[in-house]
Amino acid sequence: KEKLRDDALLKKSFFLAKKNWDNADFIWSVKLIEILKNVFKIEKLRELQLPTMNAIMSKEDVILIMPTGGGKSLCYQLPAVMSKGITVVVSPLVSLMEDQLYGLRKLDIKANMLCAKADKESIKMTMTALVDKSCPLKLIYITPEYMAKSNRFMNKLQKAYELGHLERFAIDEVHCCSQWGHDFRPDYKFLGVLKSMFPGIPILGLTATAPTKIIVDVQKMLDISGCLVLRASFNRPNLYYEVRRKPADKETRLAMIENLLKNRFNGKSGIIYTTTIKDAEQLTTDLRDRGIKAGCYHAMLEANYRSEVYSKWMLGKYQVVVATIAFGLGIDKPDVRFVIHHCVSKSMENFYQESGRAGRDGKKSVCLVLYRLADIFKLSTMVFQDKVGLQNLYKVLAYCLDQTSCRRSLIATHFEENWKENDCAEMCDHCRKPISVRKQIDVAHYCRQLYQIMTKAVQNEIRLTALKLVDAWYWKGVSSLRVSNVPVPNFTRETAEAIIGYLLINGYLQEDFHFSAYSTISYLKRGPKSGLVSGDNDHKILFNYELY
Ligand code: ADP
Ligand code: MG
Ligand code: ZN
């Protein structure tokens, strides 16, 4: 019976996907364009905005997957203005809701918000509006927490439904429904009741998180498995992707960044992302010492100071803002010509979003990652308690370690997008300058050597961080870790780090977290796949890498 149901749902979503939603001959089409221009002051719709609105206006359930900044909000805001009844928007962050309300009020669109910090008067007004068909209120923004806890709201919502005054639900950041997502929110579970409580009321889910596994989970959770799924492209053709090794030595590293800012990015505006507040402050100081006009931005700075930094950067008084990821929401500068990651991001989603702040005006811009293995462990201790934290981080590591693939194809694959060989047009470091020798090396031999060192460490009751493991491999550090038949490698430390990174990603090594009084430390131990490389069997671990 279940199988029959699944088949039917599959057929339904296939049928929906085939339908031409891009048409301009729906009964609302003329009105839609009119409102777009006159109310929203927007000239042209972007990719998938029209299909989404047409489908949701046709009362279909829709999940829209579109990169951040793509324009998802318009897809429920415009239909809300066009419709008589009320659109309920579920959104996880009060700050996001406040931004939207501010924007809508400027356009003279009536919207309100329900959350723990909303004042009593405003809540009362919103509740009344729900059951008053003559009230001009179009949108109600609500947190999932509030919805799950407020019987009063749900009661009014039911009344609105009976009155025919409830138009649709829009669920922003809909991936929060799924446990597989990077920020699962338990309160989103409550949204599972909407479909059965309000039959016939369409649901629009919006997210920038693409994996099919998550989308399928979300569909099940919301009970909209046969819905239309629309995916916008994640490709940003004008962004040039590049990864560089980050010099371990501080002076060399600063000289490199100085050189970039004074030559390649001379006179251009950009952002440098760091992981910690301390790093952001230190790097700002170091760059200023080198005569670079740099501003610093992170969450611990006062709001006034932060907005001053932002405006100086907008006006070009700062060439660059050195920031933590707190610098993100609401950045609206079209001519960001470069985004440098001074430390890798914690997931490909984060990387895509942060680097994507470059080139909003469509002109060529650079997304440069400075990579070192040590930075991975700095982040892993911050994310490992999250269920999929390490998995996400290792995807970034794989992106950095890759010496041959097109960066753009790696990103496309991550977002489950089809990729054609020549789509990059030399807009990444690997396509511009392909490595001539593309051969696979077998690193199983090195893996065995590392295991020998690790065995010795266990015997000596020493725990090995990645750094210490590399040291021991090169016969540096404690002499008790030296294994006589493991010679010092005849390649650079960077290659050694790359091999360790590769073994980590592939489960031959694994991180082992320990708590000290003030911090968490990541040690390395044998991974779940270590059994495959025991003794002198001929198990191969092939790595596409040029040893140097
Ligand atoms: P998302 O939710 O997908 O991250 P938003 O809905 O916040 O994106 O929209 C990002 C920005 O794009 C907003 O400033 C919005 O006004 C603008 N925008 C949306 N659609 C269009 C359009 N068709 N033309 C121009 N700007 C648009
Ligand atoms: Mg959004
Ligand atoms: Zn490429």
Side-chain angles (χ1 to χ4, degrees):
K1 206 171 166 193
E2 200 153 281
K3 182 158 185 312
L4 274 178
R5 190 172 166 257
D6 284 354
D7 282 353
L9 288 171
L10 211 68
K11 263 198 200 129
K12 178 166 178 237
S13 76
F14 186 71
F15 169 76
L16 283 176
K18 285 219 108 163
K19 222 172 140 172
N20 184 8
W21 295 108
D22 229 346
N23 262 339
D25 53 9
F26 289 90
I27 42 168
W28 50 78
S29 294
V30 173
K31 196 172 165 200
L32 191 152
I33 298 301
E34 190 191 299
I35 294 178
L36 179 75
K37 292 192 174 149
N38 296 339
V39 180
F40 287 90
K41 322 274 187 237
I42 288 177
E43 277 308 306
K44 243 181 85 207
L45 286 167
R46 292 195 187 141
E47 186 197 0
L48 289 188
Q49 284 181 327
L50 186 60
T52 306
M53 291 193 274
N54 281 336
I56 200 77
M57 289 295 292
S58 308
K59 297 200 178 293
E60 298 296 346
D61 299 316
V62 183
I63 290 183
L64 172 65
I65 305 151
M66 185 186 268
T68 305
K72 290 187 282 295
S73 325
L74 188 72
C75 299
Y76 55 81
Q77 287 174 347
L78 202 162
V81 175
M82 244 192 319
S83 311
K84 284 210 180 70
I86 282 182
T87 296
V88 174
V89 184
V90 182
S91 173
L93 277 176
V94 175
S95 61
L96 287 179
M97 302 204 290
E98 282 170 341
D99 278 356
Q100 292 221 359
L101 284 189
Y102 179 75
L104 289 170
R105 280 176 192 159
K106 273 206 301 199
L107 299 174
D108 206 22
I109 298 166
K110 303 280 179 280
N112 247 333
M113 156 169 116
L114 287 172
C115 64
K117 78 180 224 198
D119 63 81
K120 271 203 176 132
E121 257 328 285
S122 143
I123 292 176
K124 200 172 149 198
M125 237 174 65
T126 311
M127 298 286 184
T128 315
L130 267 169
V131 288
D132 176 4
K133 281 183 114 170
S134 64
C135 180
L137 191 73
K138 291 294 180 192
L139 293 126
I140 297 177
Y141 284 80
I142 187 166
T143 59
E145 291 80 6
Y146 197 94
M147 202 167 189
K149 285 195 192 99
S150 173
N151 282 350
R152 184 173 158 215
F153 174 74
M154 289 311 285
N155 172 273
K156 291 278 187 210
L157 201 57
Q158 258 174 336
K159 289 209 175 114
Y161 175 70
E162 284 154 17
L163 286 171
H165 194 42
L166 173 61
E167 208 72 56
R168 69 187 65 85
F169 293 104
I171 305 174
D172 210 359
E173 314 294 339
V174 77
H175 60 276
C176 295
C177 288
S178 167
Q179 303 228 28
W180 303 112
H182 44 89
D183 32 24
F184 169 61
R185 294 277 215 107
D187 279 307
Y188 264 76
K189 265 196 183 154
F190 177 75
L191 304 176
V193 305
L194 296 182
K195 201 74 225 177
S196 56
M197 256 179 106
F198 307 102
I201 300 297
I203 296 179
L204 169 63
L206 311 116
T207 180
T209 304
T212 308
K213 184 165 139 178
I214 292 176
I215 300 303
V216 168
D217 203 28
V218 166
Q219 285 177 299
K220 281 206 185 113
M221 243 279 317
L222 293 174
D223 197 15
I224 54 169
S225 289
C227 80
L228 176 66
V229 178
L230 294 172
R231 267 174 196 277
S233 171
F234 278 68
N235 188 22
R236 298 274 310 272
N238 62 316
L239 300 188
Y240 181 85
Y241 293 97
E242 179 178 351
V243 178
R244 280 202 197 179
R245 288 190 300 277
K246 175 164 141 188
D249 170 63
K250 187 179 166 183
E251 287 308 312
T252 322
R253 190 162 71 229
L254 286 170
M256 173 178 156
I257 299 173
E258 179 185 354
N259 181 29
L260 282 167
L261 295 176
K262 288 187 178 166
N263 294 300
R264 188 170 171 193
F265 303 135
N266 182 29
K268 293 175 175 165
S269 170
I271 306 170
I272 300 181
Y273 278 114
T274 64
T275 317
T276 64
I277 289 172
K278 219 176 103 196
D279 288 349
E281 287 182 338
Q282 187 59 53
L283 186 57
T284 310
T285 311
D286 291 337
L287 290 180
R288 281 182 180 164
D289 287 348
R290 282 165 175 74
I292 285 159
K293 294 197 180 83
C296 184
Y297 192 108
H298 56 71
M300 294 304 279
L301 295 167
E302 271 187 36
N304 282 342
Y305 184 85
R306 282 198 309 235
S307 58
E308 199 185 306
V309 172
Y310 180 68
S311 26
K312 278 191 176 166
W313 179 66
M314 289 296 282
L315 293 170
K317 287 182 186 157
Y318 287 143
Q319 178 186 9
V320 65
V321 176
V322 183
T324 62
I325 55 171
F327 190 56
L329 277 186
I331 294 185
D332 199 13
K333 194 176 194 319
D335 62 340
V336 178
R337 290 280 81 89
F338 63 91
V339 170
I340 299 175
H341 276 87
H342 189 256
C343 176
V344 296
S345 307
K346 59 182 190 202
S347 71
M348 286 304 281
E349 280 76 15
N350 278 297
F351 170 63
Y352 180 85
Q353 196 168 322
E354 289 146 21
S355 60
R357 292 185 182 121
R360 282 276 158 78
D361 57 4
K363 295 193 185 141
K364 186 179 168 181
S365 311
V366 176
C367 306
L368 173 64
V369 177
L370 303 180
Y371 158 77
R372 274 193 69 203
L373 186 68
D375 289 343
I376 296 289
F377 301 112
K378 219 163 125 182
L379 283 169
S380 70
T381 51
M382 293 161 72
V383 304
F384 77 101
Q385 278 157 326
D386 177 354
K387 201 166 164 187
V388 284
L390 284 180
Q391 211 177 308
N392 286 339
L393 179 62
Y394 292 169
K395 293 226 170 105
V396 180
L397 175 55
Y399 175 83
C400 294
L401 282 183
D402 198 305
Q403 273 195 323
T404 53
S405 315
C406 167
R407 304 280 179 202
R408 207 173 283 286
S409 78
L410 293 172
I411 296 169
T413 309
H414 179 82
F415 289 106
E416 300 192 9
E417 205 168 310
N418 290 329
W419 186 251
K420 285 190 267 26
E421 188 68 33
N422 296 317
D423 280 357
C424 183
E426 297 195 8
M427 283 293 280
C428 84
D429 48 359
H430 290 158
C431 289
R432 171 173 285 190
K433 247 194 207 163
I435 288 191
S436 48
V437 198
R438 294 196 183 201
K439 60 176 183 192
Q440 291 191 313
I441 53 164
D442 179 12
V443 294
H445 167 64
Y446 302 120
C447 183
R448 285 191 195 93
Q449 294 186 342
L450 291 171
Y451 286 171
Q452 278 183 283
I453 298 171
M454 292 176 136
T455 304
K456 194 112 190 209
V458 173
Q459 285 161 1
N460 285 283
E461 294 182 5
I462 295 174
R463 286 203 195 100
L464 292 172
T465 59
L467 184 71
K468 279 197 183 149
L469 179 62
V470 178
D471 278 343
W473 205 2
Y474 283 86
W475 291 43
K476 300 218 171 80
V478 240
S479 57
S480 59
L481 288 178
R482 284 173 204 165
V483 182
S484 55
N485 63 345
V486 175
V488 171
N490 59 1
F491 40 72
T492 62
R493 273 183 84 101
E494 271 145 3
T495 297
E497 287 185 6
I499 292 172
I500 288 173
Y502 191 73
L503 293 172
L504 187 63
I505 296 170
N506 289 289
Y508 293 96
L509 293 176
Q510 96 186 71
E511 288 183 78
D512 184 16
F513 296 97
H514 284 258
F515 298 94
S516 75
Y518 300 102
S519 63
T520 313
I521 305 172
S522 156
Y523 297 105
L524 287 180
K525 63 178 184 188
R526 285 167 205 243
K529 278 206 210 153
S530 61
L532 298 173
V533 251
S534 61
D536 341 301
N537 65 4
D538 58 0
H539 179 73
K540 285 190 167 49
I541 307 173
L542 295 176
F543 185 18
N544 230 324
Y545 202 84
E546 184 78 0
L547 294 184
Y548 57 89

PDB file of all heavy atoms in Angstrom, residues 241 405-409 419 421 423-432, ligand 3:
ATOM      1  N   TYR A 241      37.365  30.994  -9.137  1.00  0.00           N
ATOM      2  CA  TYR A 241      37.662  30.245  -7.909  1.00  0.00           C
ATOM      3  C   TYR A 241      39.119  29.794  -7.890  1.00  0.00           C
ATOM      4  O   TYR A 241      39.633  29.284  -8.890  1.00  0.00           O
ATOM      5  CB  TYR A 241      36.748  29.027  -7.791  1.00  0.00           C
ATOM      6  CG  TYR A 241      35.304  29.390  -7.568  1.00  0.00           C
ATOM      7  CD1 TYR A 241      34.405  29.448  -8.640  1.00  0.00           C
ATOM      8  CD2 TYR A 241      34.819  29.692  -6.300  1.00  0.00           C
ATOM      9  CE1 TYR A 241      33.070  29.780  -8.448  1.00  0.00           C
ATOM     10  CE2 TYR A 241      33.489  30.022  -6.094  1.00  0.00           C
ATOM     11  CZ  TYR A 241      32.625  30.065  -7.175  1.00  0.00           C
ATOM     12  OH  TYR A 241      31.302  30.406  -6.978  1.00  0.00           O
ATOM     13  N   SER A 405      40.677  18.779 -10.420  1.00  0.00           N
ATOM     14  CA  SER A 405      39.307  19.022 -10.892  1.00  0.00           C
ATOM     15  C   SER A 405      38.993  20.506 -11.012  1.00  0.00           C
ATOM     16  O   SER A 405      39.558  21.332 -10.299  1.00  0.00           O
ATOM     17  CB  SER A 405      38.288  18.417  -9.932  1.00  0.00           C
ATOM     18  OG  SER A 405      38.664  17.137  -9.563  1.00  0.00           O
ATOM     19  N   CYS A 406      38.068  20.779 -11.888  1.00  0.00           N
ATOM     20  CA  CYS A 406      37.549  22.137 -12.002  1.00  0.00           C
ATOM     21  C   CYS A 406      36.847  22.493 -10.687  1.00  0.00           C
ATOM     22  O   CYS A 406      36.019  21.744 -10.192  1.00  0.00           O
ATOM     23  CB  CYS A 406      36.562  22.195 -13.163  1.00  0.00           C
ATOM     24  SG  CYS A 406      35.577  23.690 -13.204  1.00  0.00           S
ATOM     25  N   ARG A 407      37.192  23.628 -10.098  1.00  0.00           N
ATOM     26  CA  ARG A 407      36.585  24.031  -8.810  1.00  0.00           C
ATOM     27  C   ARG A 407      35.072  24.158  -8.950  1.00  0.00           C
ATOM     28  O   ARG A 407      34.308  23.815  -8.054  1.00  0.00           O
ATOM     29  CB  ARG A 407      37.131  25.386  -8.362  1.00  0.00           C
ATOM     30  CG  ARG A 407      38.618  25.474  -8.247  1.00  0.00           C
ATOM     31  CD  ARG A 407      39.129  24.868  -6.967  1.00  0.00           C
ATOM     32  NE  ARG A 407      40.584  24.967  -6.920  1.00  0.00           N
ATOM     33  CZ  ARG A 407      41.350  24.198  -6.180  1.00  0.00           C
ATOM     34  NH1 ARG A 407      40.828  23.276  -5.387  1.00  0.00           N
ATOM     35  NH2 ARG A 407      42.651  24.334  -6.196  1.00  0.00           N
ATOM     36  N   ARG A 408      34.687  24.727 -10.096  1.00  0.00           N
ATOM     37  CA  ARG A 408      33.269  24.953 -10.340  1.00  0.00           C
ATOM     38  C   ARG A 408      32.510  23.620 -10.420  1.00  0.00           C
ATOM     39  O   ARG A 408      31.393  23.500  -9.946  1.00  0.00           O
ATOM     40  CB  ARG A 408      33.162  25.691 -11.664  1.00  0.00           C
ATOM     41  CG  ARG A 408      31.991  26.560 -11.861  1.00  0.00           C
ATOM     42  CD  ARG A 408      32.189  27.304 -13.166  1.00  0.00           C
ATOM     43  NE  ARG A 408      33.139  28.393 -13.017  1.00  0.00           N
ATOM     44  CZ  ARG A 408      32.847  29.535 -12.393  1.00  0.00           C
ATOM     45  NH1 ARG A 408      31.659  29.716 -11.894  1.00  0.00           N
ATOM     46  NH2 ARG A 408      33.737  30.482 -12.273  1.00  0.00           N
ATOM     47  N   SER A 409      33.160  22.608 -11.011  1.00  0.00           N
ATOM     48  CA  SER A 409      32.487  21.314 -11.099  1.00  0.00           C
ATOM     49  C   SER A 409      32.355  20.706  -9.701  1.00  0.00           C
ATOM     50  O   SER A 409      31.372  20.043  -9.398  1.00  0.00           O
ATOM     51  CB  SER A 409      33.248  20.369 -12.043  1.00  0.00           C
ATOM     52  OG  SER A 409      34.384  19.834 -11.389  1.00  0.00           O
ATOM     53  N   TRP A 419      26.746  19.020 -14.474  1.00  0.00           N
ATOM     54  CA  TRP A 419      27.860  19.849 -14.879  1.00  0.00           C
ATOM     55  C   TRP A 419      28.409  19.397 -16.221  1.00  0.00           C
ATOM     56  O   TRP A 419      28.685  18.227 -16.423  1.00  0.00           O
ATOM     57  CB  TRP A 419      28.968  19.791 -13.816  1.00  0.00           C
ATOM     58  CG  TRP A 419      30.061  20.738 -14.133  1.00  0.00           C
ATOM     59  CD1 TRP A 419      31.318  20.437 -14.565  1.00  0.00           C
ATOM     60  CD2 TRP A 419      29.980  22.163 -14.086  1.00  0.00           C
ATOM     61  NE1 TRP A 419      32.017  21.585 -14.785  1.00  0.00           N
ATOM     62  CE2 TRP A 419      31.227  22.660 -14.508  1.00  0.00           C
ATOM     63  CE3 TRP A 419      28.964  23.077 -13.752  1.00  0.00           C
ATOM     64  CZ2 TRP A 419      31.504  24.033 -14.598  1.00  0.00           C
ATOM     65  CZ3 TRP A 419      29.242  24.443 -13.842  1.00  0.00           C
ATOM     66  CH2 TRP A 419      30.493  24.891 -14.247  1.00  0.00           C
ATOM     67  N   GLU A 421      31.430  19.619 -19.042  1.00  0.00           N
ATOM     68  CA  GLU A 421      32.888  19.765 -19.013  1.00  0.00           C
ATOM     69  C   GLU A 421      33.401  21.204 -19.208  1.00  0.00           C
ATOM     70  O   GLU A 421      34.199  21.686 -18.431  1.00  0.00           O
ATOM     71  CB  GLU A 421      33.486  18.837 -20.074  1.00  0.00           C
ATOM     72  CG  GLU A 421      34.991  18.724 -20.054  1.00  0.00           C
ATOM     73  CD  GLU A 421      35.520  18.008 -18.815  1.00  0.00           C
ATOM     74  OE1 GLU A 421      34.831  17.099 -18.305  1.00  0.00           O
ATOM     75  OE2 GLU A 421      36.610  18.366 -18.366  1.00  0.00           O
ATOM     76  N   ASP A 423      31.889  24.148 -19.034  1.00  0.00           N
ATOM     77  CA  ASP A 423      31.085  25.240 -18.511  1.00  0.00           C
ATOM     78  C   ASP A 423      31.891  26.298 -17.757  1.00  0.00           C
ATOM     79  O   ASP A 423      31.413  27.379 -17.506  1.00  0.00           O
ATOM     80  CB  ASP A 423      29.998  24.693 -17.575  1.00  0.00           C
ATOM     81  CG  ASP A 423      28.814  24.148 -18.366  1.00  0.00           C
ATOM     82  OD1 ASP A 423      28.860  24.271 -19.598  1.00  0.00           O
ATOM     83  OD2 ASP A 423      27.883  23.622 -17.759  1.00  0.00           O
ATOM     84  N   CYS A 424      33.113  25.950 -17.392  1.00  0.00           N
ATOM     85  CA  CYS A 424      33.874  26.852 -16.534  1.00  0.00           C
ATOM     86  C   CYS A 424      34.463  28.036 -17.306  1.00  0.00           C
ATOM     87  O   CYS A 424      34.547  29.137 -16.782  1.00  0.00           O
ATOM     88  CB  CYS A 424      34.979  26.084 -15.824  1.00  0.00           C
ATOM     89  SG  CYS A 424      35.916  27.084 -14.669  1.00  0.00           S
ATOM     90  N   ALA A 425      34.833  27.797 -18.533  1.00  0.00           N
ATOM     91  CA  ALA A 425      35.459  28.840 -19.354  1.00  0.00           C
ATOM     92  C   ALA A 425      36.687  29.445 -18.672  1.00  0.00           C
ATOM     93  O   ALA A 425      36.828  30.664 -18.588  1.00  0.00           O
ATOM     94  CB  ALA A 425      34.431  29.909 -19.721  1.00  0.00           C
ATOM     95  N   GLU A 426      37.532  28.574 -18.158  1.00  0.00           N
ATOM     96  CA  GLU A 426      38.778  28.999 -17.517  1.00  0.00           C
ATOM     97  C   GLU A 426      38.573  29.973 -16.372  1.00  0.00           C
ATOM     98  O   GLU A 426      39.392  30.856 -16.139  1.00  0.00           O
ATOM     99  CB  GLU A 426      39.734  29.593 -18.557  1.00  0.00           C
ATOM    100  CG  GLU A 426      40.136  28.564 -19.595  1.00  0.00           C
ATOM    101  CD  GLU A 426      41.347  28.988 -20.411  1.00  0.00           C
ATOM    102  OE1 GLU A 426      41.974  30.007 -20.087  1.00  0.00           O
ATOM    103  OE2 GLU A 426      41.657  28.269 -21.362  1.00  0.00           O
ATOM    104  N   MET A 427      37.466  29.811 -15.673  1.00  0.00           N
ATOM    105  CA  MET A 427      37.216  30.692 -14.532  1.00  0.00           C
ATOM    106  C   MET A 427      37.524  30.002 -13.202  1.00  0.00           C
ATOM    107  O   MET A 427      36.873  30.270 -12.180  1.00  0.00           O
ATOM    108  CB  MET A 427      35.780  31.210 -14.580  1.00  0.00           C
ATOM    109  CG  MET A 427      35.583  32.313 -15.603  1.00  0.00           C
ATOM    110  SD  MET A 427      36.477  33.835 -15.160  1.00  0.00           S
ATOM    111  CE  MET A 427      35.321  34.526 -13.955  1.00  0.00           C
ATOM    112  N   CYS A 428      38.530  29.114 -13.221  1.00  0.00           N
ATOM    113  CA  CYS A 428      39.066  28.597 -11.969  1.00  0.00           C
ATOM    114  C   CYS A 428      40.539  28.271 -12.190  1.00  0.00           C
ATOM    115  O   CYS A 428      40.981  28.144 -13.334  1.00  0.00           O
ATOM    116  CB  CYS A 428      38.289  27.380 -11.473  1.00  0.00           C
ATOM    117  SG  CYS A 428      38.774  25.815 -12.170  1.00  0.00           S
ATOM    118  N   ASP A 429      41.267  28.162 -11.096  1.00  0.00           N
ATOM    119  CA  ASP A 429      42.712  27.957 -11.227  1.00  0.00           C
ATOM    120  C   ASP A 429      43.072  26.686 -12.005  1.00  0.00           C
ATOM    121  O   ASP A 429      43.995  26.685 -12.803  1.00  0.00           O
ATOM    122  CB  ASP A 429      43.375  27.957  -9.831  1.00  0.00           C
ATOM    123  CG  ASP A 429      42.679  27.069  -8.820  1.00  0.00           C
ATOM    124  OD1 ASP A 429      41.649  26.434  -9.181  1.00  0.00           O
ATOM    125  OD2 ASP A 429      43.133  27.005  -7.668  1.00  0.00           O
ATOM    126  N   HIS A 430      42.310  25.633 -11.808  1.00  0.00           N
ATOM    127  CA  HIS A 430      42.655  24.383 -12.484  1.00  0.00           C
ATOM    128  C   HIS A 430      42.318  24.370 -13.967  1.00  0.00           C
ATOM    129  O   HIS A 430      43.001  23.731 -14.752  1.00  0.00           O
ATOM    130  CB  HIS A 430      41.982  23.199 -11.787  1.00  0.00           C
ATOM    131  CG  HIS A 430      42.579  22.933 -10.444  1.00  0.00           C
ATOM    132  ND1 HIS A 430      41.910  22.259  -9.456  1.00  0.00           N
ATOM    133  CD2 HIS A 430      43.775  23.276  -9.918  1.00  0.00           C
ATOM    134  CE1 HIS A 430      42.678  22.185  -8.380  1.00  0.00           C
ATOM    135  NE2 HIS A 430      43.811  22.813  -8.638  1.00  0.00           N
ATOM    136  N   CYS A 431      41.269  25.064 -14.344  1.00  0.00           N
ATOM    137  CA  CYS A 431      40.922  25.107 -15.768  1.00  0.00           C
ATOM    138  C   CYS A 431      41.845  26.075 -16.502  1.00  0.00           C
ATOM    139  O   CYS A 431      42.170  25.869 -17.659  1.00  0.00           O
ATOM    140  CB  CYS A 431      39.482  25.533 -15.960  1.00  0.00           C
ATOM    141  SG  CYS A 431      38.329  24.262 -15.453  1.00  0.00           S
ATOM    142  N   ARG A 432      42.271  27.099 -15.806  1.00  0.00           N
ATOM    143  CA  ARG A 432      43.160  28.046 -16.449  1.00  0.00           C
ATOM    144  C   ARG A 432      44.536  27.437 -16.690  1.00  0.00           C
ATOM    145  O   ARG A 432      45.128  27.596 -17.739  1.00  0.00           O
ATOM    146  CB  ARG A 432      43.301  29.300 -15.599  1.00  0.00           C
ATOM    147  CG  ARG A 432      44.394  30.224 -16.146  1.00  0.00           C
ATOM    148  CD  ARG A 432      44.432  31.507 -15.427  1.00  0.00           C
ATOM    149  NE  ARG A 432      43.313  32.353 -15.844  1.00  0.00           N
ATOM    150  CZ  ARG A 432      43.221  33.619 -15.504  1.00  0.00           C
ATOM    151  NH1 ARG A 432      44.129  34.172 -14.743  1.00  0.00           N
ATOM    152  NH2 ARG A 432      42.204  34.340 -15.916  1.00  0.00           N
TER     153      ARG A 432
HETATM  154 ZN    ZN B   3      37.130  25.259 -13.807  1.00  0.00          ZN
END
